[in-house]
Amino acid sequence: DIQMTQSPSTLSVSVGDRVTITCRASQSVSSWLAWYQQKPGKAPKLLVYMASSLESGVPSRFSGSGSGTEFTLTISSLQPDDFATYYCQQYNSYSRTFGQGTKVEIK
Amino acid sequence: QVQLVQSGAEVKKPGASVKVSCKASGYAFTSYGISWLRQAPGQGLEWVGWISAYNGNTYYAQKVQGRVTMTTDTSTSTVYMELRSLRSEDTAVYYCARDIIAGRIPFDYWGQGTLVTVSS
């Protein structure tokens, strides 16, 4: 299976900060990479697919980049609603795998 | 609107089986597949397997291979996941999510989750 490694595990930030989360794959997944946001007690929400395509309805302050084995999710100016846990996920193979998650918390 | 509605919480003893359902509506059911995922308490997301609603083809994660069976009922647009020989480490919230193998957009709609607790 392809292993996905996210960093950092936790981010302590303030409203208005620029946030960058990194995801590395153990082998190339081309652009078959998605990002999700999850809040406590809720199902994850798709933010970005194909590494850089924004899902419909997702605010433009979210953006994704990268290809191959290195990917980034950026939140340009963190809003109060953005405090959550973020996961990357590869779907290059039918065996989908997730990163371990990055919790974005209030500083 | 697209909806995936899952069955309710279950409590099972070790060694028992559980069957969770996921009823789809608001889209062409057989044009997509469904993946099942799970999340143990305080942990990350784990993919369990996938089933095509078109022809019933399946892919299962190695970790549960041999203990899991996914099926579909096209007459009711419902997907089922049965997990057998339950262990305490199977305790988790199980989610279904719309998914197409080799499609550009994964997991765009999710069910509300079903808590499965395995305890003696």
Short mmCIF file of all heavy atoms in Angstrom, two decimals, chain A residues 8-9 16 35 37 52 55 63-64 75 79 96:
data_model
loop_
_atom_site.label_atom_id
_atom_site.label_comp_id
_atom_site.label_asym_id
_atom_site.label_seq_id
_atom_site.Cartn_x
_atom_site.Cartn_y
_atom_site.Cartn_z
N PRO A 8 2.64 19.41 9.71
CA PRO A 8 2.85 18.83 11.04
C PRO A 8 1.62 18.05 11.50
O PRO A 8 0.61 18.06 10.80
CB PRO A 8 3.08 20.07 11.91
CG PRO A 8 2.20 21.10 11.27
CD PRO A 8 2.26 20.83 9.79
N SER A 9 1.69 17.45 12.68
CA SER A 9 0.53 16.76 13.23
C SER A 9 -0.45 17.75 13.84
O SER A 9 -1.65 17.53 13.83
CB SER A 9 0.97 15.75 14.30
OG SER A 9 1.79 14.76 13.73
N GLY A 16 -6.61 34.71 10.61
CA GLY A 16 -5.90 35.57 9.69
C GLY A 16 -4.54 35.02 9.25
O GLY A 16 -3.97 35.51 8.28
N TRP A 35 -7.83 16.40 -0.47
CA TRP A 35 -7.76 16.95 0.89
C TRP A 35 -9.17 17.04 1.46
O TRP A 35 -10.12 17.43 0.76
CB TRP A 35 -7.13 18.34 0.88
CG TRP A 35 -5.67 18.38 0.55
CD1 TRP A 35 -5.11 18.61 -0.67
CD2 TRP A 35 -4.58 18.22 1.47
NE1 TRP A 35 -3.74 18.60 -0.57
CE2 TRP A 35 -3.39 18.36 0.73
CE3 TRP A 35 -4.49 17.98 2.84
CZ2 TRP A 35 -2.12 18.26 1.31
CZ3 TRP A 35 -3.24 17.88 3.43
CH2 TRP A 35 -2.07 18.02 2.66
N GLN A 37 -11.53 18.12 5.16
CA GLN A 37 -11.63 18.80 6.45
C GLN A 37 -12.62 18.01 7.29
O GLN A 37 -13.69 17.63 6.82
CB GLN A 37 -12.16 20.22 6.25
CG GLN A 37 -12.40 21.00 7.52
CD GLN A 37 -13.22 22.26 7.24
OE1 GLN A 37 -14.40 22.20 6.90
NE2 GLN A 37 -12.58 23.42 7.38
N SER A 52 -5.21 19.88 -7.01
CA SER A 52 -5.33 21.34 -7.04
C SER A 52 -6.71 21.85 -7.44
O SER A 52 -6.91 23.07 -7.54
CB SER A 52 -4.29 21.93 -7.98
OG SER A 52 -4.48 21.44 -9.29
N GLU A 55 -13.17 21.78 -4.77
CA GLU A 55 -14.52 21.23 -4.83
C GLU A 55 -15.52 22.40 -4.84
O GLU A 55 -15.30 23.45 -4.23
CB GLU A 55 -14.77 20.32 -3.63
CG GLU A 55 -16.19 19.81 -3.43
CD GLU A 55 -16.67 18.83 -4.49
OE1 GLU A 55 -16.10 18.77 -5.59
OE2 GLU A 55 -17.65 18.10 -4.20
N SER A 63 -6.42 26.22 -1.12
CA SER A 63 -5.82 25.84 -2.39
C SER A 63 -4.90 24.64 -2.19
O SER A 63 -4.35 24.45 -1.09
CB SER A 63 -5.04 27.01 -3.01
OG SER A 63 -3.95 27.37 -2.18
N GLY A 64 -4.76 23.85 -3.22
CA GLY A 64 -3.89 22.68 -3.18
C GLY A 64 -2.88 22.75 -4.31
O GLY A 64 -3.14 23.32 -5.36
N ILE A 75 -4.18 27.42 3.35
CA ILE A 75 -5.32 28.29 3.70
C ILE A 75 -4.75 29.70 3.78
O ILE A 75 -3.88 29.96 4.64
CB ILE A 75 -5.97 27.88 5.03
CG1 ILE A 75 -6.27 26.37 5.05
CG2 ILE A 75 -7.26 28.67 5.25
CD1 ILE A 75 -6.74 25.84 6.39
N GLN A 79 -9.86 31.40 8.88
CA GLN A 79 -11.11 31.93 9.45
C GLN A 79 -11.54 31.06 10.64
O GLN A 79 -11.13 29.90 10.75
CB GLN A 79 -12.19 31.95 8.38
CG GLN A 79 -11.85 32.86 7.21
CD GLN A 79 -11.59 34.29 7.64
OE1 GLN A 79 -12.47 34.94 8.21
NE2 GLN A 79 -10.37 34.77 7.39
N ARG A 96 -7.26 2.98 -1.37
CA ARG A 96 -7.11 4.38 -0.96
C ARG A 96 -6.45 4.45 0.42
O ARG A 96 -6.77 3.66 1.31
CB ARG A 96 -8.50 5.04 -0.86
CG ARG A 96 -9.08 5.43 -2.20
CD ARG A 96 -9.87 4.32 -2.88
NE ARG A 96 -10.79 4.88 -3.85
CZ ARG A 96 -10.48 5.10 -5.11
NH1 ARG A 96 -9.29 4.78 -5.57
NH2 ARG A 96 -11.38 5.62 -5.94
#
